[in-house]
């Protein structure tokens, strides 16, 4: 429970740090309402809409309401999908307001001891250190390959956990061995005449849990005529930190990544995870108040591109034969890839170029699937309600292959398939599907 002293400090933080001009930009027109998943699944509660949350932030800023637990709950229930931004006629940067508000609350509110320990373990020790992520991943791999997973399931140990966590355990991908997560070479040559030189942002979970997808990304770039540079000093993008009220840690990682990539003279910096790409491209906002970083961050941020955009621009789909067995494909947009990086046509055109596959657009493909980083873990009820709606429209397409462009979305789609018991249906990353189709 938020104490009076904490609420006073939070309110002071709002007055000192929140952008009043941005808060006032919201015209309360309501154009954002049909695009907001939490507004819809809440039964159209104003406090669960972008417009309502901005109104609450402004009220705290003006001292009209206290930033109590109910206020914090409203912000925490937001997915941060930023679907409200493209439809906003005033161009309100809602995502930046949300991150700043969460950071102010996090910096001024004391958490329980257990919460502090988990927070420190995840945000300060796990994600900033790639070796720690590799160690955790290798433990998961041991759990999967040693027979322990089968034993745990057989004796019913997993029933001690909430249902949504049991379901997530069933859809975890088979992770690589520690020996397969060695440092990558720093440069690989294209398979044909060089069209571009690109740097590859490998990410943290993408280069461990989804290592094979990263391997496929490099192979596709090589096949497309790209020389690929892989800086060894890059780290986690910091998105999870930035979205969860740990902006100082996010800034620290952002600076390390900028230093890693600015040394490379490349045409693009390529990502294969929509959430990472969006946060990387927003580094200029994250570091806007950091002296000496403005020019450096802009040079890096303007080069960020999603893998699908790069492949489409170099005509990968026209210069290579892509064939699959007969199947129906549908595409689930990554919220941040579409709403922040404004990429939606390139992945669809690549998928439509695959022979033997029929592309079927699902209704509201641009709406959030409910994954949103760790939202499906910390807010399972809201997340599953959103996923249920998503699976309803997916089933209407009769798709046998659900394609995504972000690891969180991929796991959420796998979870939806598991929950709906959809036999013969799979979820794959677009990179893995293109690699599979490449003749």
């Amino acid at each position: 429970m938020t104490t009076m002293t904490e609420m006073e400090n939070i309110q002071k933080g709002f007055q000192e740090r929140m952008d009043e001009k941005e808060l006032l930009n919201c015209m309360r027109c309501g154009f954002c309402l049909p695009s907001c998943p939490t507004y819809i699944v809440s039964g159209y509660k104003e406090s669960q809409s972008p417009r309502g949350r901005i109104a609450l932030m402004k009220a705290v800023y003006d001292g009209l309401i206290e930033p109590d637990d109910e206020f914090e709950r409203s912000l925490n229930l937001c997915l941060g999908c930023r679907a409200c931004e493209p439809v906003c006629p005033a161009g309100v940067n809602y995502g930046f307001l949300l991150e700043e508000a969460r950071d102010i609350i996090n910096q001024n509110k004391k958490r329980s001891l257990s919460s502090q320990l988990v927070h420190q373990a995840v945000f300060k020790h796990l994600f900033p250190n790639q070796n720690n992520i590799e160690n955790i991943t290798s433990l998961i791999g041991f759990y999967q390959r040693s027979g322990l997973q089968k034993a745990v399931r057989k004796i019913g140990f997993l029933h001690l956990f909430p249902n949504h966590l049991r379901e997530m355990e069933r859809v975890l991908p088979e992770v690589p061995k520690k020996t397969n997560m060695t440092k990558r070479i720093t440069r690989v040559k294209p398979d044909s005449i060089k069209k571009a030189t690109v740097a590859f942002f490998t990410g943290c979970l993408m280069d461990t849990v989804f290592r094979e997808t990263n391997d496929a990304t490099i192979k596709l770039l090589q096949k497309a005529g790209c020389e690929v540079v892989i800086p060894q000093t890059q780290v986690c993008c910091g998105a999870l930190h930035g979205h969860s009220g740990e902006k100082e840690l996010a800034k620290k990682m952002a600076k390390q990544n900028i230093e890693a990539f600015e040394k490379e003279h490349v045409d693009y910096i390529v990502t294969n995870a929509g959430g990472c790409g969006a946060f990387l491209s927003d580094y200029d906002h994250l570091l806007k108040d950091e002296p000496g970083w403005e020019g450096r961050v802009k040079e890096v941020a303007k080069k960020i591109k999603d893998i699908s955009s790069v492949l489409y621009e170099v005509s990968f789909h026209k210069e290579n034969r892509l064939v699959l067995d007969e199947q129906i494909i549908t595409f689930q947009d990554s919220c941040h890839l579409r709403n922040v990086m404004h990429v939606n046509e390139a992945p669809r055109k690549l998928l439509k170029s695959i022979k033997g596959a029929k592309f079927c657009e699902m209704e509201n493909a641009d709406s959030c699937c409910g994954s949103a980083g760790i939202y499906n873990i910390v807010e399972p009820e809201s997340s599953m309600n959103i996923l249920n709606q998503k699976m309803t429209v997916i089933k209407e397409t009769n798709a046998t292959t659900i394609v995504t462009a972000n690891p969180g979305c991929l796991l959420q789609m796998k979870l939806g398939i598991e929950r709906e018991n959809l036999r013969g249906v799979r979820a794959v990353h677009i990179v893995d599907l293109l690699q599979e189709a490449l003749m």
Side-chain angles (χ1 to χ4, degrees):
M1 182 159 178
T2 312
T3 66
M4 285 300 299
T5 301
E6 288 170 342
M7 286 192 284
E8 288 171 2
N9 290 335
I10 292 169
Q11 189 170 58
K12 183 180 178 182
F14 266 61
Q15 292 168 347
E16 292 175 348
R17 292 173 51 185
M18 292 298 289
D19 187 340
E20 184 182 20
K21 183 179 178 181
E22 197 68 71
L23 290 169
L24 289 170
N25 276 345
C26 178
M27 303 183 297
R28 315 290 190 263
C29 65
F31 277 32
C32 60
L33 301 182
S35 301
C36 179
T38 56
Y39 175 70
I40 295 169
V41 299
S42 71
Y44 308 106
K45 290 182 181 178
E46 185 70 15
S47 63
Q48 294 308 317
S49 72
R51 178 178 71 177
R53 291 184 177 107
I54 291 174
L56 289 172
M57 292 181 209
K58 184 63 167 65
V60 169
Y61 180 92
D62 291 335
L64 299 177
I65 65 170
E66 294 178 336
D68 55 14
D69 292 339
E70 188 176 348
F71 168 74
E72 183 182 2
R73 182 75 180 136
S74 175
L75 299 188
N76 286 343
L77 278 172
C78 179
L79 293 150
C81 68
R82 295 171 70 170
C84 51
E85 293 184 11
V87 298
C88 178
V92 176
N93 291 305
Y94 172 80
F96 297 157
L97 291 173
L98 179 67
E99 286 180 5
E100 193 72 8
R102 285 176 170 172
D103 189 58
I104 293 168
I105 293 171
N106 185 58
Q107 299 306 317
N108 290 284
K109 186 170 180 177
K110 188 175 181 180
R111 307 293 180 182
S112 65
L113 180 58
S114 59
S115 179
Q116 289 180 49
L117 291 174
V118 171
H119 208 81
Q120 285 206 354
V122 172
F123 293 105
K124 296 185 179 180
H125 298 291
L126 179 60
F127 283 97
N129 190 315
Q130 191 67 10
N131 287 332
N132 289 343
I133 296 177
E134 290 177 6
N135 290 334
I136 292 294
T137 302
S138 64
L139 287 176
I140 295 173
F142 174 79
Y143 168 74
Q144 292 174 329
R145 289 185 289 269
S146 65
L148 184 59
Q149 185 179 50
K150 290 182 180 179
V152 165
R153 290 175 176 178
K154 188 174 183 179
I155 64 176
F157 179 74
L158 290 173
H159 288 287
L160 297 175
F161 295 87
N163 186 53
H164 70 285
L165 293 181
R166 296 201 303 272
E167 291 173 333
M168 287 180 188
E169 188 271 348
R170 290 199 292 270
V171 301
L172 277 175
E174 186 174 330
V175 302
K177 297 178 180 178
K178 181 71 180 288
T179 54
N180 294 333
M181 290 186 283
T182 56
K183 292 286 185 182
R184 296 186 180 278
I185 59 174
T186 58
R187 188 177 293 265
V188 292
K189 298 292 185 181
D191 288 345
S192 56
I193 298 173
K194 186 168 78 171
K195 293 183 178 180
T197 301
V198 303
F200 179 38
F201 180 78
T202 53
C204 48
L205 290 179
M206 287 304 301
D207 214 36
T208 49
V209 178
F210 299 95
R211 181 84 176 196
E212 289 185 1
T213 302
N214 269 7
D215 292 341
T217 300
I218 295 171
K219 290 176 183 176
L220 290 180
L221 288 169
Q222 288 179 277
K223 190 74 174 177
C226 295
E227 183 172 359
V228 186
V229 180
I230 307 166
Q232 297 293 296
T233 55
Q234 60 178 299
V235 292
C236 170
C237 69
L240 188 60
H241 299 75
H243 301 326
S244 304
E246 287 286 355
K247 286 187 73 172
E248 289 307 312
L249 281 171
K251 289 179 181 180
K252 182 179 179 181
M253 287 183 280
K255 290 174 181 177
Q256 186 168 339
N257 281 325
I258 291 167
E259 289 173 344
F261 284 97
E262 68 183 354
K263 299 173 185 175
E264 310 296 343
H265 301 289
V266 297
D267 301 301
Y268 307 122
I269 299 170
V270 180
T271 70
N272 59 9
C276 297
F279 200 72
L280 289 165
S281 63
D282 276 345
Y283 272 0
D284 54 343
H285 176 79
L286 180 68
L287 300 177
K288 63 183 174 61
D289 297 323
E290 298 291 308
W293 286 91
E294 183 179 1
R296 297 171 67 180
V297 69
K298 286 187 182 298
E299 280 299 309
V300 170
K302 72 181 183 181
K303 293 182 179 181
I304 304 298
K305 270 189 178 285
D306 181 68
I307 176 68
S308 61
S309 295
V310 174
L311 293 178
Y312 180 73
E313 288 178 16
V314 300
S315 299
F316 171 82
H317 57 304
K318 294 179 180 179
E319 297 180 3
N320 293 280
R321 190 161 178 256
L322 301 171
V323 182
L324 286 173
D325 292 336
E326 187 175 337
Q327 58 193 279
I328 299 175
I329 294 173
T330 195
F331 183 68
Q332 166 60 31
D333 284 288
S334 156
C335 293
H336 288 117
L337 182 60
R338 184 178 185 118
N339 301 326
V340 181
M341 298 183 73
H342 310 296
V343 174
N344 59 81
E345 286 299 321
R348 286 171 167 81
K349 288 180 177 177
L350 290 171
L351 293 173
K352 289 176 182 178
S353 72
I354 301 174
K355 306 296 182 184
K358 176 185 176 183
F359 183 83
C360 184
E361 187 75 57
M362 76 172 85
E363 185 181 356
N364 297 325
D366 57 344
S367 68
C368 186
C369 64
S371 171
I374 58 172
Y375 187 90
N376 53 5
I377 297 174
V378 297
E379 298 292 348
E381 182 179 355
S382 179
S383 175
M384 293 305 104
N385 286 338
I386 292 167
L387 178 58
N388 290 341
Q389 292 187 347
K390 179 62 63 175
M391 295 311 297
T392 297
V393 296
I394 286 176
K395 286 189 286 187
E396 290 172 357
T397 68
N398 293 316
T400 52
T401 302
I402 307 168
V403 185
T404 74
N406 190 63
C409 303
L410 178 59
L411 289 178
Q412 188 80 337
M413 290 298 94
K414 288 179 179 288
L415 183 58
I417 292 169
E418 174 76 17
R419 284 165 57 87
E420 297 289 336
N421 195 26
L422 298 180
R423 299 183 182 277
V425 179
R426 61 173 179 161
V428 296
H429 193 289
I430 186 171
V431 164
D432 295 314
L433 191 71
L434 291 172
Q435 178 71 10
E436 180 185 333
L438 190 60
M439 296 294 288

